[in-house]
């Protein structure tokens, strides 16, 4: 077919082609712009220039009214007279204008790192007509951060801690979200649980939760019958309770402060204002959350109970509908049917789903979800008589609550720790998704929010696994950064592969190509394979075994050639190990 026939006959196809090319560009830009750790933190050592510049650029991409500093991107856009910049940011797409702005910001931050604030501000004035008066507060903020990145109290504090001395606390937060976490080497202080959620957290939460609902609605044509939320303690410290606020907003209530300014009450948002049904939300909170946020758990429980008693039609109040259905189905009491806040038994932590996956100790599909429920089915509530229930085993109630769920969800709020960096995301979000799958008889739609950029994004789990794989595991910038650390670096690569496997085990969310590319990059490439083997044969062996397990469990069906090679590698490594013994 020559070009003229494409032109004449298939206009739609050309449009479709353009759409796909644009979509590809957006995906590439997303990967390119993703901030990743390029190596491990070495105790006491400050980070390198390039890494520092990346971090500072990220810090400078948010408005910081508390420091009198505006976002550098916003300032550059204004200097270049780009009126529609906010809109450009909102729609999240990439084009020449956003690229130009980003490149100017990147260059300005690099110049700042090399030459200091004044020269960088001067350059920005000449390049993008940004007044120094506007840009200097940003660079001064960055200068403070840069200095604190250079020196830290890590060794001193460790020595003092070992002597049993007092270590001053600092806020526990993500460095980009709250740079006052620096200098490192301090204790982390938590938060007054009665202050959660803050007003700012509630405002942000509305956007995120609306984006979550809209995404589901666009894909399914209806709202989910119920959602299951994973809430972690540290995340809600960092964000002053954004996850909590999202749950409240979905229920259609807002927190109210009592006379002591404590968030202990809730106010029902009228349906006319809400403009959508009230969602049913099942909350599984971590042991850390339970220990830190007892008043918050009481607030969440109170919110669900209040919503369940509102005199509203079932199609506009899903809590009421589901509670009525449960009561009708098995004649359960209101107090039981309305239970939505679950955690571990008092004094217990974690789901153990990660250990079961890592040790390959499960056979049938339901086992992982059952383990999640066994660990997490302890109810925290207050009954109709006002009696506090703290950690009563309530397996049946959790099974019932999960049986309505069609969406599972968790926030990611740190660029340092993503869903394949640690096994905790799959033990929680993966664990609950598996539990839902057997209890509601459908695999739920699984989403994560990403508040790492100024515009919060909702991604499906599959999209997030792809993005993390491309930005980290398969990205030479990431794995070469890890390999600088020798033995430990190879172990980190192997960890990522194992955590990726965890997403297959719990949620079937890993595209087969990911396992193929991992094999090619780390095992079938002879130069890389030799490097890894020299640094850490144990991790190479575990990685190989894990890939073969991924095949054996049906997550991946590679060419026989690849499989043969992996089996040979494993055999050689075992012979080698026997030889060493
Ligand atoms: C938490 O902050 O609650 C948490 C952190 C890591 C793993 C599990 C829970
Ligand atoms: Mg169902």
């Amino acid at each position: 077919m020559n070009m003229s026939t494409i032109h004449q006959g298939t206009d739609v196809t050309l449009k479709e082609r353009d759409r796909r090319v644009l979509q590809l560009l957006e995906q590439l830009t997303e990967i390119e712009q993703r901030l990743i750790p390029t190596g491990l933190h070495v105790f006491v050592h400050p980070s390198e220039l390039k890494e520092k510049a990346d971090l500072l650029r990220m810090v400078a991409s948010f408005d910081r009214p508390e420091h009198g500093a505006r976002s550098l991107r916003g300032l550059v856009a204004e200097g270049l007279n780009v009126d529609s910049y906010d809109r450009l940011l909102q729609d999240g797409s990439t084009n020449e204008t956003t690229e130009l702005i980003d490149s100017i910001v990147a260059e300005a931050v690099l110049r700042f790192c090399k030459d200091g604030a004044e020269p960088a501000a001067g350059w920005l004035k000449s390049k993008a007509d940004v007044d120094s008066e506007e840009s200097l507060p940003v660079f001064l903020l960055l200068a403070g951060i840069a200095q604190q990145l250079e020196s830290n109290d890590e060794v001193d504090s460790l020595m003092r801690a070992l002597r049993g001395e007092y270590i001053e606390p600092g806020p526990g937060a993500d460095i980009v979200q709250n740079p006052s976490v620096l200098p490192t080497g301090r204790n982390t202080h938590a938060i007054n649980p009665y202050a959660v959620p803050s007003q700012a957290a509630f405002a942000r939460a509305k956007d995120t939760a609306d984006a979550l609902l809209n995404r589901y609605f666009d894909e399914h044509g209806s709202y989910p019958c119920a959602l299951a939320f994973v809430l972690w303690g540290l995340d809600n410290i960092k964000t002053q309770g954004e996850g909590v606020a999202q749950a409240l907003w979905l229920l259609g209530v807002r927190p109210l402060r009592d006379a002591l300014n404590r968030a202990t009450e809730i106010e029902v948002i009228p349906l006319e204002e809400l403009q959508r049904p009230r969602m049913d939300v099942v909350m599984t909170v971590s042991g850390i959350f339970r220990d830190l946020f007892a008043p918050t758990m009481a607030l969440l429980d109170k919110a669900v109970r209040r919503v369940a008693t509102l005199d509203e039609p079932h199609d506009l109040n899903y809590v009421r509908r589901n509670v009525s259905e449960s009561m009708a189905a098995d004649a359960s009491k209101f107090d039981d049917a309305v239970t939505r806040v679950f955690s571990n038994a008092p004094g217990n932590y974690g789901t153990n789903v990660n250990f079961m996956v890592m040790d390959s100790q499960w056979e049938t599909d339901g086992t992982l979800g059952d383990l999640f429920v066994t660990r997490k089915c302890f109810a925290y509530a207050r009954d109709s008589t006002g009696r506090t229930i703290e950690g009563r085993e309530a397996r049946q109630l959790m099974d019932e609550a999960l049986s309505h769920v069609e969406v599972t969800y968790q926030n990611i709020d740190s660029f340092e720790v993503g869903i394949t960096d640690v096994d905790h995301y799959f033990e929680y979000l993966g664990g609950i998704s598996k539990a839902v799958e057997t209890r509601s008889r459908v695999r739920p739609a699984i989403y994560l929010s990403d508040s790492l950029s100024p515009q919060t994004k909702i991604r499906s789990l599959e999209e997030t696994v792809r993005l993390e794989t491309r930005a980290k595991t398969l990205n030479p910038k990431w794995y070469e950064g890890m390999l600088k650390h020798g033995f430990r670096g190879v172990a980190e690569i192997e960890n990522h592969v194992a955590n990726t496997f965890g997403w297959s085990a719990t949620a079937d969310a890993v595209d087969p190509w990911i396992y193929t590319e991992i094999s090619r990059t780390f095992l079938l490439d002879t130069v890389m394979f030799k490097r890894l083997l020299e640094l850490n044969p144990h991790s190479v062996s575990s990685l190989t075994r894990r890939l073969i397990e991924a095949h054996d469990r049906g997550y991946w069906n590679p060419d026989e050639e690849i499989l043969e090679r992996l089996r040979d590698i494993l055999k050689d490594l075992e012979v080698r190990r026997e030889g060493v013994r």
Side-chain angles (χ1 to χ4, degrees):
M1 195 191 300
N2 66 35
M3 285 307 284
S4 62
T5 42
I6 294 178
H7 261 288
Q8 282 163 7
T10 52
D11 217 16
V12 176
T13 309
L14 281 179
K15 257 198 210 143
E16 176 60 16
R17 183 201 62 180
D18 288 354
R19 194 190 63 77
R20 286 191 195 174
V21 170
L22 261 180
Q23 198 181 26
L24 197 57
L25 176 65
E26 275 163 27
Q27 283 176 2
L28 284 172
T29 313
E30 186 173 54
I31 297 164
E32 187 190 10
Q33 290 182 345
R34 186 96 175 153
L35 196 58
I36 55 164
T38 47
L40 300 166
H41 173 64
V42 180
F43 201 63
V44 183
H45 284 246
S47 45
E48 289 173 8
L49 177 71
K50 177 72 181 69
E51 215 174 300
K52 198 161 80 180
D54 281 347
L55 186 62
L56 294 178
R57 184 167 49 77
M58 201 64 188
V59 171
S61 63
F62 291 85
D63 285 327
R64 309 262 172 199
E66 69 281 18
H67 295 282
R70 293 191 36 209
S71 122
L72 271 190
R73 291 164 102 194
L75 288 175
V76 170
E78 217 168 82
L80 297 176
N81 286 322
V82 180
D83 298 335
S84 54
Y85 187 62
D86 275 346
R87 216 185 52 237
L88 281 179
L89 275 186
Q90 284 306 329
D91 85 12
S93 61
T94 314
N95 58 35
E96 282 169 16
T97 315
T98 50
E99 270 184 16
L100 175 68
I101 293 170
D102 287 343
S103 70
I104 292 175
V105 168
E107 175 71 24
V109 173
L110 209 55
R111 280 171 187 259
F112 159 79
C113 288
K114 288 194 179 132
D115 308 327
E118 299 268 351
W123 182 82
L124 212 47
K125 171 74 185 157
S126 67
K127 188 77 187 175
D129 201 23
V130 176
D131 276 340
S132 302
E133 254 172 52
E134 295 263 35
S135 65
L136 272 177
V138 187
F139 289 123
L140 291 179
L141 169 68
L142 298 190
I145 297 171
Q147 196 193 2
Q148 286 182 318
L149 282 169
E150 277 309 308
S151 64
N152 61 58
D153 304 332
E154 291 173 12
V155 163
D156 256 11
S157 296
L158 177 65
M159 297 311 288
R160 285 172 41 223
L162 291 174
R163 286 198 296 267
E165 291 175 24
Y166 175 72
I167 311 299
E168 302 77 10
D174 185 89
I175 185 169
V176 175
Q177 280 172 346
N178 183 1
S180 30
V181 300
L182 296 173
T184 52
R186 290 185 292 172
N187 233 328
T188 302
H189 69 62
I191 194 169
N192 170 5
Y194 287 107
V196 162
S198 70
Q199 271 181 359
F202 195 75
R204 271 178 76 90
K206 278 174 162 180
D207 290 343
T208 312
D210 284 344
L212 172 65
L213 281 187
N214 291 340
R215 166 112 198 216
Y216 184 88
F217 195 95
D218 288 348
E219 288 177 355
H220 298 84
S222 62
Y223 290 116
C225 190
L227 302 96
F229 259 48
V230 173
L231 294 173
W232 281 0
L234 299 179
D235 290 15
N236 280 282
I237 294 175
K238 288 180 200 168
T239 60
Q240 306 205 314
E242 257 181 63
V244 172
Q246 288 164 2
L248 294 176
W249 173 249
L250 290 170
L251 288 162
V253 302
R254 57 170 70 89
L256 274 189
R257 309 264 155 179
D258 65 14
L260 296 175
N261 200 30
R262 304 177 310 171
T264 51
E265 272 307 321
I266 53 127
E267 176 187 45
V268 171
I269 301 166
L271 285 170
E272 306 82 71
E273 185 184 332
L274 205 56
Q275 294 281 314
R276 57 155 170 86
R278 298 185 197 284
M279 296 298 131
D280 187 0
V281 190
V282 184
M283 290 152 274
T284 42
V285 315
S286 69
I288 298 179
F289 187 109
R290 174 205 55 207
D291 294 350
L292 294 173
F293 288 109
T296 317
M297 289 167 77
L299 185 76
L300 290 166
D301 173 60
K302 187 184 260 184
V304 177
R305 285 167 174 273
R306 182 78 54 81
V307 168
T309 53
L310 293 172
D311 184 11
E312 290 172 342
H314 282 182
D315 60 345
L316 291 174
N317 183 332
Y318 293 0
V319 182
R320 190 177 159 83
R321 182 179 68 193
N322 293 339
V323 167
S324 307
E325 268 177 25
S326 299
M327 288 169 71
D330 56 11
S332 59
K333 293 190 303 253
F334 176 78
D335 276 339
D336 287 340
V338 79
T339 304
R340 291 291 181 277
V341 184
F342 298 93
S343 187
N344 297 84
N348 268 351
Y349 301 84
T351 72
N352 291 357
V353 168
N354 45 342
F355 301 132
M356 192 177 258
V357 170
M358 290 305 175
D359 294 343
S360 307
Q361 292 294 319
W362 84 104
E363 270 158 31
T364 57
D365 223 29
T367 312
L368 296 171
D370 289 346
L371 177 61
F372 182 91
V373 174
T374 302
R375 296 284 299 172
K376 285 282 168 191
C377 68
F378 294 81
Y380 290 78
R382 197 179 271 262
D383 69 16
S384 304
T385 63
R387 196 170 52 99
T388 308
I389 296 159
E390 292 228 21
R392 174 164 62 92
E393 188 167 8
R395 191 183 184 98
Q396 225 180 329
L397 304 187
M398 189 173 191
D399 284 344
E400 175 61 24
L402 292 181
S403 74
H404 302 286
V405 168
E406 292 179 321
V407 166
T408 55
Y409 170 78
Q410 184 167 8
N411 285 289
I412 313 184
D413 62 2
S414 159
F415 81 87
E416 287 170 309
V417 184
I419 65 163
T420 52
D421 289 301
V422 292
D423 55 7
H424 298 304
Y425 282 104
F426 82 74
E427 68 153 323
Y428 272 85
L429 183 63
I432 196 163
S433 301
K434 204 37 125 186
V436 166
E437 193 176 314
T438 40
R439 283 154 187 80
S440 82
R441 313 225 173 277
V442 287
R443 180 187 183 273
I446 311 172
Y447 298 110
L448 293 122
S449 76
D450 170 354
S451 50
L452 301 185
S453 50
Q455 301 72 45
T456 302
K457 258 202 159 149
I458 299 292
R459 291 196 187 87
S460 69
L461 174 61
E462 292 79 354
E463 288 166 351
T464 313
V465 171
R466 271 176 223 132
L467 179 59
E468 283 266 311
T469 303
R470 287 179 169 129
K472 289 183 184 159
T473 321
L474 292 175
N475 180 353
K477 195 170 153 186
W478 180 84
Y479 62 71
E480 288 298 344
M482 288 299 153
L483 290 177
K484 282 189 300 206
H485 302 282
F487 182 90
R488 182 67 226 161
V490 186
E492 281 299 317
I493 294 171
E494 192 263 316
N495 266 348
H496 269 246
V497 177
N499 294 331
T500 304
F501 172 88
W503 289 116
S504 283
T506 55
D508 191 20
V510 184
D511 298 339
W513 66 259
I514 290 178
Y515 292 116
T516 306
E517 288 310 308
I518 288 171
S519 308
R520 288 215 172 101
T521 308
F522 299 113
L523 301 178
L524 306 182
D525 178 307
T526 42
V527 177
M528 177 59 80
F529 177 65
K530 271 200 185 135
R531 277 175 74 194
L532 299 185
L533 205 55
E534 222 141 81
L535 292 170
N536 182 343
H538 308 287
S539 290
V540 174
S541 165
S542 309
L543 193 158
T544 312
R545 206 171 297 119
R546 192 65 74 185
L547 289 166
I548 295 172
E549 185 181 2
H551 164 262
D552 293 345
R553 289 191 184 266
Y555 306 150
W556 172 52
N557 195 11
D559 295 343
E560 195 52 35
E561 224 173 291
I562 294 184
L563 212 51
E564 279 295 300
R565 179 75 194 114
L566 296 186
R567 289 188 182 124
D568 285 348
I569 287 174
L570 197 58
K571 221 182 292 159
D572 287 352
L573 283 167
E574 270 159 16
V575 169
R576 205 176 123 135
R577 192 188 297 182
E578 287 304 313
V580 172
R581 277 194 196 137

